[in-house]
């Protein structure tokens, strides 16, 4: 039922560090060939830091834990033809023999099934704005509440309702920590106005926190949020202010419900694609589902921003996590 790549199997059986990576980001997050290039670079970074990358996806109905280069290429070329697969979609894709790109929730599910304790990604899903009416809450959050994998990410985009996302995580019993900051980061910017209950200042502290959760057998997950690196903060802030302005306009114009995402997408596009900025700014539409998330980023650093959020664990945490023995 599951296909665990040999190198991942070997690493797990020897107790070596394995890092889970999601695949929605590859198929829906970036166009080909940048998506393939980025996915390969990310895997290389994980390897260079002494760990084994395990990109997770469903190919021809088989959940694959760890992809070889041919499979990674196939997924990247499939793009949005691979179905965005959250936990609830897994049985249907498997039953139909289809191809699924796993979101955070589905990736966590498979990672925990095979005993991978750490998973690194860009942004996770959250409570959508007006979620109190629409009930549009990402299954990433409920998965974090029922699965003991530690997710390292750049936070939640401010297009979502960050305070409610954190409230929901609290209700789910999810440990939320931030790396070298007291604030929960908002993907493009290190500030969100929301404080985190736990601050971690070193890879060792991250490892200890993960270890204590696992050894207590809490059964709930953990979110370690790492802010955007300083060198990209200026570009991030530019995009963030466009998002904020678009959100204010949407509120003034009372654009709500289904109309809100297309409005925001178009507005941020305009705001970041003006005459003086066209040369350097590219707006990328990431998700094509009813509750889409806006993802705007700077052309030349778009892949870097994604990579950097993965890098945290790879560059800084992994050497220590590697030395740390998980129960
Ligand atoms: O900033 C981001 N948010 C969300 C995603 C992707 O979208 C999923 C959440 O989608 P939804 O809101 O449909 O649950 C995440 O698990 C992840 O795969 C992402 O890549 N980047």
């Amino acid at each position: 039922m599951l296909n665990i790549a040999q190198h991942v199997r070997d690493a797990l059986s020897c107790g070596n560090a394995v890092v889970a990576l999601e695949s929605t980001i590859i198929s829906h997050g970036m166009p080909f060939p940048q998506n393939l290039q980025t996915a390969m670079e990310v895997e290389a970074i994980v390897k260079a830091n002494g760990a084994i990358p395990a990109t997770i996806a469903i190919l021809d109905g088989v959940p694959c834990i760890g992809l070889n280069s041919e499979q990674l290429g196939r997924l990247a070329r499939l793009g949005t033809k691979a179905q965005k697969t959250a936990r609830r979609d897994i049985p249907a894709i498997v039953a139909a023999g289809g191809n699924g790109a796993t979101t955070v929730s589905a990736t966590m599910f498979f990672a925990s099934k095979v005993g991978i304790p750490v998973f690194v990604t860009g942004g996770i899903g959250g409570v959508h704005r007006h979620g109190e009416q629409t009930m549009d809450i990402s299954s990433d959050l409920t998965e974090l509440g029922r699965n003991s994998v530690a997710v390292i990410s750049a936070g939640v985009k401010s297009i979502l309702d960050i305070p409610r996302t954190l409230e929901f995580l609290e209700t789910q019993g999810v440990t939320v920590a931030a790396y070298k900051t007291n604030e929960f980061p908002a993907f493009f910017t290190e500030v969100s106005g929301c404080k985190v209950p736990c601050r971690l200042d070193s890879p060792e502290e991250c490892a200890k926190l993960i270890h204590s959760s696992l050894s207590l057998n809490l059964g709930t997950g953990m979110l370690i949020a790492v802010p955007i690196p300083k060198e990209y903060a200026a570009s991030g802030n530019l995009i963030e202010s466009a998002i904020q302005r678009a959100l204010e306009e949407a509120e003034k114009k009372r654009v709500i419900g289904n109309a809100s995402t297309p409005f925001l997408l178009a507005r941020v596009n305009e705001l970041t694609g003006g005459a003086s900025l066209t040369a350097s700014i590219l707006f990328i539409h990431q998700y094509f589902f009813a509750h889409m998330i806006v993802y705007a980023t700077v052309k030349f650093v778009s892949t870097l921003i994604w990579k950097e959020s993965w890098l945290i664990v790879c560059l800084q945490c992994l050497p220590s996590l590697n030395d740390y023995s998980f129960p």
Side-chain angles (χ1 to χ4, degrees):
M1 194 75 178
L2 283 185
N3 182 6
I4 309 177
Q6 195 56 48
H7 60 289
V8 174
R9 195 181 286 275
D10 292 345
L12 287 171
S13 62
C14 299
N16 291 336
V18 178
V19 177
L21 301 166
E22 65 157 298
S23 45
T24 291
I25 201 168
I26 301 172
S27 59
H28 291 68
M30 277 172 251
F32 182 82
Q34 288 97 316
N35 58 355
L36 178 58
Q37 205 182 333
T38 304
M40 281 165 43
E41 282 175 28
V42 168
E43 290 212 347
I45 291 162
V46 174
K47 282 186 207 152
N49 283 278
I52 298 295
T55 302
I56 295 177
I58 303 177
L59 292 174
D60 300 320
V62 179
C64 298
I65 319 299
L67 303 183
N68 61 31
S69 49
E70 186 261 318
Q71 290 170 318
L72 208 56
R74 191 174 153 206
L75 189 77
R77 280 186 185 83
L78 275 172
T80 53
K81 285 197 197 103
Q83 191 180 323
K84 180 179 168 187
T85 307
R87 170 189 257 264
R88 63 135 199 225
D89 307 307
I90 296 170
I93 307 277
V94 170
N99 298 310
T102 52
T103 65
V104 169
S105 67
T107 307
M108 280 184 81
F109 169 77
F110 288 122
S112 109
K113 239 186 158 23
V114 300
I116 303 175
V118 182
F119 162 28
V120 191
T121 188
I124 67 160
V127 177
H128 283 251
R129 289 186 184 241
H130 310 294
E132 70 278 19
Q133 287 149 21
T134 62
M135 299 285 286
D136 193 347
I137 299 169
S138 172
S139 62
D140 294 353
L141 305 188
T142 42
E143 195 63 30
L144 275 160
R146 56 156 74 110
N147 186 315
S148 61
V149 171
V151 177
I152 322 295
S153 102
V156 174
K157 283 179 192 149
S158 64
I159 209 86
L160 300 173
D161 185 332
I162 296 179
R164 280 197 175 90
T165 298
L166 292 172
E167 285 296 339
F168 194 84
L169 286 170
E170 183 197 341
T171 306
Q172 293 289 314
V174 178
T175 301
V176 176
Y179 191 65
K180 293 190 173 164
T181 171
N182 295 316
E183 273 207 36
F184 188 77
F187 194 91
F188 289 117
T189 161
E190 46 194 332
V191 291
S192 68
C194 300
K195 297 272 172 273
V196 282
C198 174
R199 172 185 171 133
L200 300 166
D201 282 293
S202 68
E204 289 74 19
E205 284 182 17
C206 296
K208 280 185 185 159
L209 192 74
I210 295 170
H211 178 64
S212 82
S213 176
L214 290 176
S215 51
L216 287 166
N217 223 352
L218 272 171
T220 40
M222 176 178 297
L223 179 61
I224 301 180
V226 185
I228 185 169
K230 295 252 177 296
E231 59 268 40
Y232 304 121
S235 329
N237 286 336
L238 199 66
I239 296 159
E240 181 58 27
S241 31
I243 292 176
Q244 289 309 324
R245 201 166 140 195
L247 285 167
E248 277 163 28
E249 289 177 12
E251 202 170 326
K252 265 194 211 127
K253 293 187 174 166
R254 294 178 194 275
V255 183
I256 50 165
N258 287 351
S260 125
T261 301
F263 174 84
L264 293 170
L265 282 168
R267 224 21 221 130
V268 178
N269 198 9
E270 278 166 27
L271 291 168
T272 56
S276 61
L277 297 173
T278 31
S280 60
I281 299 208
L282 177 68
F283 182 78
I284 298 174
H285 296 192
Q286 261 207 301
Y287 307 104
F288 304 96
F289 286 77
H291 45 79
M292 289 196 309
I293 300 167
V294 175
Y295 175 42
T297 195
V298 177
K299 192 173 191 176
F300 300 110
V301 297
S302 62
T303 51
L304 288 175
I305 289 176
W306 281 106
K307 274 186 283 181
E308 284 294 337
S309 53
W310 262 307
L311 282 184
I312 288 306
V313 136
C314 309
L315 291 180
Q316 300 178 47
C317 299
L318 274 185
S320 314
L321 288 176
N322 225 3
D323 293 333
Y324 209 84
S325 58
F326 290 100

